[in-house]
Amino acid sequence: MAERKSAKAAAGSSSQNGSDVPLQEFPMPKTELVQKFHVLYLGVTSVSRPIGMDIINGAIDNLVSSTGKEDWIPVILSIADTTVAVIKEKEEEEEVLVECRVRFLSFMGVGRDVHSFAFIMDTGNQHFQCHVFWCDPNAGNVSEAVQAACVLRYQKCLVARPPSQRAGSSSSPSSDSVTRRVTTSVKRSVQSLIDTLKPKKQPSELPQQ
């Protein structure tokens, strides 16, 4: 109690000495965590639906069968809570091949091969594109990074909405419906990754000492 009284007294004296600084909550710094992964970019293909592991696997199979490994592009996959960028390294500067807004990412998943990873972007007007990557040693870390970006983006959308809209209104669609949908999709994809990795841990497949 004595410490609180002395703190209040000090605050009162500082305001009377001409250095009036209104007490307020300062905004959080607008910084974002960026994770970068060295992967191979197989390319992009149009898909018929915005969600579904069957769509993801179909896109991966399509690009794997239609391209050779020599055609896969070594890139940096830069993942932040606002954008996912595919960057090609050059001697003098970097070239951004693809830049996707996280809010329009509708689905992601690890393919049947644990090295393969893909995500689907909603480009508007019922058009959807699937970007496919090959990751070493597996796509687990990349998948988790994209999941974290989607969840963080969804949380920021909730905080940015007015209190009247946070309670939810059935009469008007929410502006972050795509982000909310991908949060559920991401959880399914991560569970799919876990299920896929389980058979890899059979005793017969463990490296011999």
Side-chain angles (χ1 to χ4, degrees):
M1 293 295 292
E3 290 178 354
R4 292 181 180 177
K5 289 182 179 179
S6 61
K8 290 182 179 179
S13 61
S14 64
S15 62
Q16 294 175 1
N17 291 335
S19 58
D20 294 339
V21 178
L23 297 177
Q24 61 181 347
E25 293 184 2
F26 291 95
M28 295 294 291
K30 294 183 178 180
T31 58
E32 58 181 1
L33 176 64
V34 179
Q35 299 188 65
K36 296 184 177 182
F37 301 90
H38 290 271
V39 299
L40 295 175
Y41 183 48
L42 278 66
V44 59
T45 183
S46 296
V47 293
S48 59
R49 299 201 315 271
I51 62 174
M53 281 306 303
D54 57 329
I55 300 296
I56 289 286
N57 287 325
I60 293 174
D61 293 343
N62 179 30
L63 286 174
V64 168
S65 61
S66 62
T67 60
K69 289 187 177 182
E70 64 278 4
D71 299 323
W72 300 352
I73 306 174
V75 298
I76 296 175
L77 186 60
S78 176
I79 303 170
D81 63 276
T82 55
T83 59
V84 176
V86 180
I87 303 171
K88 183 179 181 180
E89 288 186 294
K90 290 187 174 182
E91 294 182 358
E92 298 181 356
E93 60 182 8
E94 297 178 342
E95 177 186 358
V96 178
L97 301 179
V98 179
E99 190 171 46
C100 303
R101 297 287 299 274
V102 171
R103 64 180 299 181
F104 299 124
L105 194 155
S106 62
F107 196 81
M108 52 147 277
V110 177
R112 284 183 283 263
D113 189 310
V114 295
H115 295 86
S116 59
F117 172 78
F119 61 80
I120 301 174
M121 295 300 301
D122 186 341
T123 59
N125 298 322
Q126 294 299 309
H127 292 125
F128 314 103
Q129 292 186 330
C130 186
H131 298 269
V132 180
F133 305 87
W134 191 266
C135 314
D136 281 319
N138 59 62
N141 291 335
V142 174
S143 177
E144 290 179 358
V146 176
Q147 175 196 14
C150 293
V151 172
L152 184 56
R153 177 63 186 173
Y154 178 51
Q155 291 173 344
K156 286 188 175 182
C157 287
L158 289 181
V159 172
R161 292 171 60 186
S164 59
Q165 294 183 9
R166 293 179 196 173
S169 174
S170 59
S171 59
S172 60
S174 62
S175 60
D176 57 342
S177 59
V178 173
T179 310
R180 188 147 41 103
R181 180 176 60 190
V182 76
T183 303
T184 303
S185 301
V186 162
K187 292 178 180 178
R188 295 175 182 171
S189 299
V190 172
Q191 184 60 49
S192 174
L193 171 63
I194 294 174
D195 294 340
T196 304
L197 290 175
K198 283 181 179 178
K200 301 296 180 181
K201 298 181 180 181
Q202 297 295 333
S204 61
E205 297 182 6
L206 292 176
Q208 296 181 357
Q209 299 294 334

